[in-house]
Amino acid sequence: MKKITLKYIAKELNIAPSTVSKALNGYSDVSANTKKKVVDLAKSLNFSPNTQAAFLRTRESKIIGVVIPHISHPFFVNVVKGILDSAEKKGYLIIVLKSNESYDLEKKLIEKLLKQNVDGVFISLAQDTYDLKHLEAVKKAGVVLIQYDKISKILESSKVVVDDRNSGYLATEHLIKNGCRNIVHFRGPLLPQVSIDRFLGYKNALEDYNLIFDPKKVITSNKMTDKEGFRLMNDFISKKIDFDGIFSMSDYTAIGALESLKKHNLLVPDDIKVVGFSNWLLTDKLTPSLSTVNQPGVLMGNKCFELFLKEVNSKKKKIKFKYEKKIFKTNLIIRESSSLK
Amino acid sequence: MKKITLKYIAKELNIAPSTVSKALNGYSDVSANTKKKVVDLAKSLNFSPNTQAAFLRTRESKIIGVVIPHISHPFFVNVVKGILDSAEKKGYLIIVLKSNESYDLEKKLIEKLLKQNVDGVFISLAQDTYDLKHLEAVKKAGVVLIQYDKISKILESSKVVVDDRNSGYLATEHLIKNGCRNIVHFRGPLLPQVSIDRFLGYKNALEDYNLIFDPKKVITSNKMTDKEGFRLMNDFISKKIDFDGIFSMSDYTAIGALESLKKHNLLVPDDIKVVGFSNWLLTDKLTPSLSTVNQPGVLMGNKCFELFLKEVNSKKKKIKFKYEKKIFKTNLIIRESSSLK
DNA sequence: TCACAATTCGAAATCGATTTCGTTACAAAT
DNA sequence: ATTTGTAACGAAATCGATTTCGAATTGTGA
């Protein structure tokens, strides 16, 4: 069981390792003849250069680190899938790490990735990320940074997002058009831009349809879990404020809210109509099935890699480069929880 | 922005790189004095050795590849979590790849991991994996192989599984004790051991309780999706065979079956009682909520890494080594879908 | 005082691939 | 015939860390 190296191939063909390397890497100072011999032998031996050794010279690890806040969230699963599909074709390996929405963990993960000499870091920020030094460090290290979904407005890099504001608007408008006049909004933590934008969409829709915006009807949920949704909904109901619709920035909290409504004998969609966000797995199997906003995760993942590659290539060729921001449209999936009948 | 290397530290302290290396790696031929100087400076510079360069000599990449069949399956998410938590402490990085239950893809993934020179491969086999050459190759390459959940009986390695047979038995017994006399079994594809074992548990339970085992009541589902469960259940119902319970080897097919039952106006749990497998996310939110078998994924992940480390260490010290097989117990989660009332 | 052992350190080889630069051989140009 | 140019290849340095082996220094015992 011999290890197959450049040197081995060189010896077999009685030429120098440098020539073998050049033949395999498309240098021009190799004759067509020897090039063919090398390529053929390499293929037949199933040779591929040792990535670690190659890295020492090229500084390319062909590894990309992807940071996601959750793993159970199907949207992120789709994004990863999109990245994977694109990256695979170019021979990149993907390391997925999850931050659990924690800034501290996120910082550690980034350090880990930099130690591993990844070529790129794709990140969706944790909820409580307030400081961006760790991401500045990524750029300083010459590593390509791509932000997706939960991005920072301040930090420069290429970005891939959905139109959260418009999505919030559409969801709310849908509720209004189906007769809701008193719509509660479950918003996320105050910091992340997605949370702000979805909220603004909600608010704008109310204004456009001449409904009064009432801050008391905005429930801020920091944890975004079913339990939290259940708890907060119970609290809200106990305040006896009239409402006939809910737009939640997450399906998961919406599901908790649904449980609370059931407990209080409020019928969905008859008494209260509900729209969530992100189209979680099995939300179509609930009773009632949950209306939601669907984000094109796979396409977003594809785009992330595309922007990454563009940046890598311009760096190699030392071409000037401009950050891009791609905004994807979402689509509303209307199910039982917000239907008219 | 200078890169911090061994050489740099050596120059700073006016000693040789080799001495620095030895100081950091606990060699005995370094004086306590110089050792302290080196360690202190290294710490203050936040130095950590370049992993790729170190690999060239040590042949340790400190990377583990984990192959899972699905990503949306919460059980596997838990296993990965368990591996991650353990591996992190020892400075290992985890690459998670998913095979989509495809043998061809699985083979490619393994090749990819070997090219990356991972130290270990943890794998749960794809449904249709019939050939094991790619896994033999892992062992031949000197890479530690750990099999978990869907394992091969033939291939030698350390293994981490649950007692599938007993789990199938308990689930079926539970249905019997709650009054079921005609229990349908959704089994998975014929090949994987988990599929066989869960089926055998089902069969054994019937026999122990003097119920007739009827092959016609065993529905083989190759795809294990909700759609497939729905389709197969419809087919089965159209055959007009009496039944009052279902034990499904997967929650996902069980959910499809539930939809079919609803469509045919069969009440759960009144007319039919249902038990699934794996405790998928949100199965507790369904109406009725789904009874299921819970596997201790996190603990299994922990164990995988423990066995890996044991093997690595004995290889280093050239101690004799014996493969271990750890069998975990499952627990039945009884919810509405199989309750008496 | 001398022989020898223990301690501490450094020089150099090594891992495997890449890349610069120099050398050869031969053809074309003068 | 001599110079120039080009195609094709190889020698050697390099990336950053590890590790073997030998050298220098110090200490120990006879």
Side-chain angles (χ1 to χ4, degrees):
Chain A
M1 189 67 192
K2 234 189 119 39
K3 239 179 310 164
I4 295 160
T5 64
L6 261 195
K7 215 191 279 181
Y8 176 77
I9 293 184
K11 227 167 245 166
E12 285 291 299
L13 296 175
N14 245 332
I15 56 180
S18 48
T19 308
V20 176
S21 173
K22 285 190 239 179
L24 292 174
N25 290 320
Y27 279 68
S28 60
D29 59 345
V30 180
S31 71
N33 187 24
T34 56
K35 178 167 177 172
K36 186 174 159 32
K37 280 198 294 186
V38 170
V39 170
D40 285 354
L41 182 58
K43 200 171 286 174
S44 79
L45 290 174
N46 194 24
F47 167 80
S48 69
N50 182 306
T51 49
Q52 279 89 350
F55 170 82
L56 276 186
R57 297 282 335 213
T58 61
R59 293 286 135 183
E60 274 198 309
S61 64
K62 294 277 185 176
I63 299 181
I64 293 171
V66 178
V67 179
I68 63 179
H70 305 288
I71 182 70
S72 47
H73 197 315
F75 164 63
F76 290 113
V77 171
N78 283 331
V79 172
V80 170
K81 188 171 146 71
I83 296 171
L84 222 55
D85 290 345
S86 302
E88 165 129 283
K89 291 171 195 153
K90 297 291 179 180
Y92 280 85
L93 196 74
I94 305 296
I95 297 177
V96 182
L97 300 170
K98 73 174 202 298
S99 66
N100 287 337
E101 299 281 12
S102 147
Y103 164 67
D104 291 331
L105 185 52
E106 179 179 297
K107 236 172 59 176
K108 275 189 206 158
L109 297 182
I110 296 285
E111 282 170 20
K112 210 176 194 176
L113 290 174
L114 290 184
K115 271 189 194 167
Q116 265 297 324
N117 298 310
V118 294
D119 293 341
V121 170
F122 299 4
I123 189 168
S124 176
L125 269 47
Q127 271 172 18
D128 60 349
T129 293
Y130 50 90
D131 186 282
L132 300 168
K133 285 204 197 79
H134 57 310
L135 298 178
E136 300 280 7
V138 171
K139 298 208 290 176
K140 243 181 239 162
V143 174
V144 173
L145 179 73
I146 307 283
Q147 297 185 75
Y148 69 93
D149 194 51
K150 277 192 268 183
I151 63 170
S152 154
K153 275 201 166 172
I154 303 163
L155 186 67
E156 291 196 355
S157 81
S158 283
K159 297 169 184 177
V160 177
V161 293
V162 295
D163 188 346
D164 280 302
R165 187 152 173 172
N166 192 240
S167 305
Y169 189 98
L170 289 178
T172 311
E173 185 180 42
H174 161 68
L175 288 171
I176 296 170
K177 285 188 173 168
N178 277 8
C180 297
R181 288 296 168 266
N182 285 297
I183 302 172
V184 166
H185 175 47
F186 265 94
R187 70 166 287 174
L190 296 177
L191 234 67
Q193 197 60 41
V194 290
S195 178
I196 297 170
D197 287 341
R198 289 174 196 174
F199 162 70
L200 289 177
Y202 156 80
K203 201 177 162 198
N204 288 160
L206 294 187
E207 288 162 358
D208 284 0
Y209 285 86
N210 296 316
L211 296 175
I212 298 158
F213 164 70
D214 179 359
K216 284 200 297 295
K217 293 207 181 93
V218 175
I219 306 174
T220 299
S221 169
N222 284 312
K223 281 204 193 154
M224 312 300 287
T225 63
D226 58 336
K227 283 198 174 65
E228 196 68 359
F230 182 72
R231 192 179 68 76
L232 292 171
M233 197 69 229
N234 283 342
D235 288 355
F236 183 81
I237 290 174
S238 72
K239 290 182 191 158
K240 313 238 176 223
I241 300 175
D242 248 16
F243 73 108
D244 53 11
I246 301 175
F247 165 49
S248 169
M249 81 154 294
S250 159
D251 278 354
Y252 211 22
T253 45
I255 287 166
L258 284 175
E259 287 189 297
S260 170
L261 294 176
K262 191 183 283 180
K263 181 182 140 192
H264 289 87
N265 294 318
L266 291 166
L267 286 181
V268 177
D270 308 59
D271 302 334
I272 316 281
K273 298 192 199 311
V274 180
V275 177
F277 213 107
S278 288
N279 192 21
W280 282 52
L281 190 71
L282 298 188
T283 48
D284 58 330
K285 309 295 186 200
L286 299 172
T287 312
S289 56
L290 182 63
S291 296
T292 190
V293 175
N294 187 55
Q295 303 143 291
V298 175
L299 293 178
M300 291 172 72
N302 291 335
K303 193 73 189 179
C304 282
F305 184 76
E306 184 190 323
L307 294 177
F308 160 79
L309 209 58
K310 208 180 265 185
E311 191 166 338
V312 167
N313 285 332
S314 22
K315 272 188 183 172
K316 266 193 212 166
K317 296 175 193 163
K318 302 191 176 174
I319 303 170
K320 65 177 178 339
F321 175 77
K322 239 179 47 193
Y323 292 130
E324 274 179 55
K325 179 170 179 178
K326 171 73 183 180
I327 303 173
F328 279 91
K329 283 221 171 75
T330 58
N331 64 303
L332 194 61
I333 299 178
I334 299 168
R335 300 205 185 104
E336 291 165 3
S337 71
S338 69
S339 292
L340 267 183
K341 216 215 80 58
Chain B
M1 190 67 193
K2 232 187 121 39
K3 237 179 311 164
I4 295 159
T5 65
L6 260 194
K7 214 192 280 183
Y8 175 79
I9 293 184
K11 226 168 245 167
E12 285 291 298
L13 296 175
N14 247 331
I15 55 179
S18 48
T19 307
V20 176
S21 173
K22 285 191 241 180
L24 293 174
N25 289 319
Y27 278 67
S28 59
D29 60 344
V30 179
S31 72
N33 187 23
T34 57
K35 177 166 179 175
K36 185 174 161 29
K37 281 197 294 183
V38 170
V39 170
D40 285 354
L41 183 58
K43 200 169 288 175
S44 79
L45 291 174
N46 195 24
F47 167 80
S48 69
N50 182 306
T51 51
Q52 279 88 350
F55 170 83
L56 276 185
R57 295 284 333 214
T58 61
R59 294 287 135 182
E60 275 197 307
S61 63
K62 293 275 185 180
I63 299 180
I64 293 171
V66 179
V67 179
I68 62 179
H70 305 290
I71 182 70
S72 47
H73 198 314
F75 164 62
F76 289 114
V77 171
N78 282 333
V79 172
V80 170
K81 189 172 147 69
I83 296 171
L84 223 55
D85 289 346
S86 302
E88 163 129 284
K89 292 173 196 152
K90 298 290 179 179
Y92 280 84
L93 197 73
I94 305 298
I95 298 178
V96 181
L97 300 170
K98 73 174 202 295
S99 66
N100 287 336
E101 299 281 12
S102 148
Y103 165 66
D104 291 331
L105 186 51
E106 179 179 297
K107 235 171 60 175
K108 275 189 206 159
L109 296 181
I110 297 286
E111 282 170 21
K112 210 175 195 177
L113 289 174
L114 289 183
K115 270 187 193 168
Q116 264 298 324
N117 298 308
V118 294
D119 293 342
V121 170
F122 299 4
I123 190 168
S124 175
L125 268 47
Q127 270 172 19
D128 60 348
T129 292
Y130 50 90
D131 186 282
L132 301 167
K133 285 204 197 78
H134 56 309
L135 298 178
E136 299 280 7
V138 171
K139 298 207 291 177
K140 243 181 238 162
V143 174
V144 174
L145 179 73
I146 307 284
Q147 295 185 76
Y148 68 94
D149 194 48
K150 277 193 268 183
I151 62 170
S152 155
K153 274 201 165 173
I154 303 163
L155 186 68
E156 290 197 354
S157 81
S158 284
K159 297 170 185 176
V160 177
V161 293
V162 295
D163 188 346
D164 280 302
R165 186 154 174 173
N166 191 240
S167 306
Y169 188 98
L170 290 177
T172 310
E173 184 180 43
H174 161 68
L175 288 172
I176 296 171
K177 285 190 172 168
N178 277 9
C180 297
R181 289 294 168 268
N182 285 298
I183 302 172
V184 167
H185 176 47
F186 265 94
R187 71 167 285 175
L190 295 177
L191 234 67
Q193 198 59 41
V194 290
S195 178
I196 296 170
D197 286 341
R198 289 173 198 175
F199 162 70
L200 288 177
Y202 156 79
K203 199 175 162 200
N204 289 159
L206 294 187
E207 288 163 358
D208 284 1
Y209 285 85
N210 295 316
L211 296 175
I212 297 157
F213 165 69
D214 179 358
K216 283 200 297 297
K217 294 209 181 92
V218 175
I219 305 175
T220 300
S221 169
N222 283 311
K223 281 203 191 153
M224 312 299 288
T225 63
D226 58 336
K227 283 199 174 61
E228 196 68 359
F230 182 73
R231 192 179 68 75
L232 291 171
M233 197 70 229
N234 284 340
D235 288 356
F236 183 82
I237 291 174
S238 72
K239 289 183 191 158
K240 312 240 176 223
I241 300 175
D242 248 15
F243 72 108
D244 53 11
I246 300 175
F247 165 49
S248 170
M249 82 155 291
S250 159
D251 279 354
Y252 211 21
T253 46
I255 287 165
L258 284 175
E259 287 189 297
S260 169
L261 294 176
K262 192 183 282 180
K263 181 183 139 190
H264 289 87
N265 293 317
L266 290 166
L267 287 181
V268 177
D270 308 59
D271 302 333
I272 316 282
K273 300 193 197 309
V274 181
V275 177
F277 213 106
S278 287
N279 192 21
W280 283 52
L281 190 71
L282 297 188
T283 49
D284 59 329
K285 309 294 185 200
L286 299 172
T287 313
S289 56
L290 182 62
S291 296
T292 190
V293 175
N294 186 55
Q295 303 144 292
V298 175
L299 292 179
M300 291 172 71
N302 291 336
K303 193 72 189 180
C304 282
F305 185 76
E306 184 190 323
L307 294 177
F308 161 80
L309 209 58
K310 207 180 265 184
E311 191 166 338
V312 167
N313 284 334
S314 23
K315 273 187 182 173
K316 266 193 212 166
K317 297 176 192 162
K318 302 191 177 174
I319 302 170
K320 65 176 177 342
F321 175 77
K322 240 179 44 193
Y323 291 129
E324 274 179 55
K325 180 170 179 178
K326 170 74 184 180
I327 302 173
F328 279 91
K329 284 222 170 77
T330 57
N331 64 302
L332 193 61
I333 300 179
I334 299 167
R335 300 205 186 104
E336 291 165 1
S337 71
S338 69
S339 292
L340 268 183
K341 215 216 81 62

